[in-house]
Amino acid sequence: MGAYILRRLLLFVPTIIGIMAVSFVIVQFAPGGPVERVIAQLTGTDVSATARIGGGGGDLSAGRAVQPGGGESSSSGKYRGAQGLDPEFIKKLEKQFGFDKPAHERFGLMLWNYSRFDFGESYFRDVSVIDLILEKMPVSISLGLWMTLISYAISIPLGIRKAVADGSRFDVWTSGVIVIGYAIPGFLFAVLLIVLFAGGTFLDWFPLRGLTSDNWADMSLWGKAKDYVWHLALPLTAMALSAFATTTFLTKNSFLDEIRKQYVMTARAKGLSERDVLYRHVFRNAMLIIIAGFPGAFISAFFAGSLLIETIFSLDGLGLLSFESIVNRDYPVVFANLYIFSLMGLVVNLISDLTYTWIDPRIDFEAREV
């Protein structure tokens, strides 16, 4: 197992480099950029992350640009709205954002810094990227971690119960409820929860903003716990509505496949109770496919799935931070988030593989050929 873990860790390096390289190349051809944003703010024009001329983007670090007439322009000619601004000022902006260097040099410097977890400073927030991410982390950890745990804690027992009672009235009506819940968009259900329970129109039971109350630091330990749960109740309910379907049906179908196999019939013939058959024999084999889906579910809930919920409930987390950084072309924040979550995904996948061997010792990854 040690050799397998070492091989997987070594594969992290080319995988991360590949992910960052593809993203970096895409950014070079994306319209807009931080220089354009500063120019738009100075000139009073529309602040748009896509305000860029010159025919579909290009590398901001290029030393000169070609005008439609065929002549060469100054560095300010590359940017919409920059006409009339001092070219030296534009060059200072490019240097400030690091665009005075060639693309390959910037990419190499970024990889070197990221290997030491040095993510630099945000272009527009005047704070280090790592401090900014750590500031937003509690919200995303709260939403992602609790969402995943609650989803699995409900979906797995429910899926097992549905497999045992396959075709019964319980199986039919729970399937209907789950499918309806899956079909309702999470953000729409979030708005409904606000209207009903957060002072929108009817009841005012839950807060509408933040992860904790303003006086959270002055509360007792029990009071802090209650306040924390109180603030997370509605966001987690909105996220959980559609999260049960996939895991529940996957658990049910996995258990049904195992229950119909010969070794289960043999165990029953030996006189084992239905509970022993289900949890001592079927559970270990049926749960392997559920574990395989855990990393994707965790990363999705931790990052991508929380954007709309964070926006609706005014929770300032990593999902909202990443979206705003992409729109504003705050590249240090964008790439730092990409690097961290890519690395996290690789680590979680490795942990998932190791969990396979814990649940079923018969699995030996080291015996497989790479």
Side-chain angles (χ1 to χ4, degrees), residues 3 58 65 82 133 188 210 220 231 284 300 323:
I133 292 176
L188 187 61
S220 64
H231 280 77
R284 183 177 64 180
S300 177
F323 174 75

Side-chain angles (χ1 to χ4, degrees), residues 114-267:
Y114 282 16
S115 66
R116 298 178 290 119
F117 289 92
D118 177 8
F119 301 110
E121 291 192 358
S122 167
Y123 283 162
F124 305 110
R125 296 174 185 259
D126 195 26
V127 64
S128 69
V129 174
I130 191 63
D131 289 341
L132 189 60
I133 292 176
L134 291 176
E135 178 187 342
K136 314 297 182 182
M137 191 74 78
V139 170
S140 293
I141 288 179
S142 297
L143 291 177
L145 181 61
W146 290 117
M147 177 62 235
T148 305
L149 293 178
I150 292 173
S151 174
Y152 272 68
I154 296 177
S155 297
I156 292 175
L158 180 59
I160 295 174
R161 179 71 179 86
K162 287 172 65 64
V164 173
D166 183 41
S168 66
R169 293 179 60 183
F170 172 82
D171 181 38
V172 173
W173 75 260
T174 52
S175 295
V177 171
I178 292 172
V179 170
I180 292 174
Y182 184 75
I184 299 176
F187 72 90
L188 187 61
F189 189 60
V191 173
L192 176 62
L193 291 176
I194 290 174
V195 172
L196 294 177
F197 302 112
T201 302
F202 298 95
L203 303 173
D204 190 9
W205 289 353
F206 296 94
L208 190 56
R209 180 181 299 274
L211 191 61
T212 57
S213 299
D214 293 336
N215 62 333
W216 190 79
D218 300 327
M219 296 180 182
S220 64
L221 183 61
W222 175 242
K224 289 181 178 179
K226 289 194 299 182
D227 184 72
Y228 178 69
V229 172
W230 185 47
H231 280 77
L232 282 178
L234 294 188
L236 288 179
T237 302
M239 293 178 68
L241 181 67
S242 61
F244 299 134
T246 302
T247 308
T248 300
F249 287 124
L250 186 62
T251 302
K252 175 190 173 181
N253 294 332
S254 179
F255 271 80
L256 282 177
D257 288 342
E258 293 297 324
I259 288 173
R260 294 165 181 167
K261 290 184 177 179
Q262 183 64 41
Y263 75 89
V264 176
M265 298 176 61
T266 303

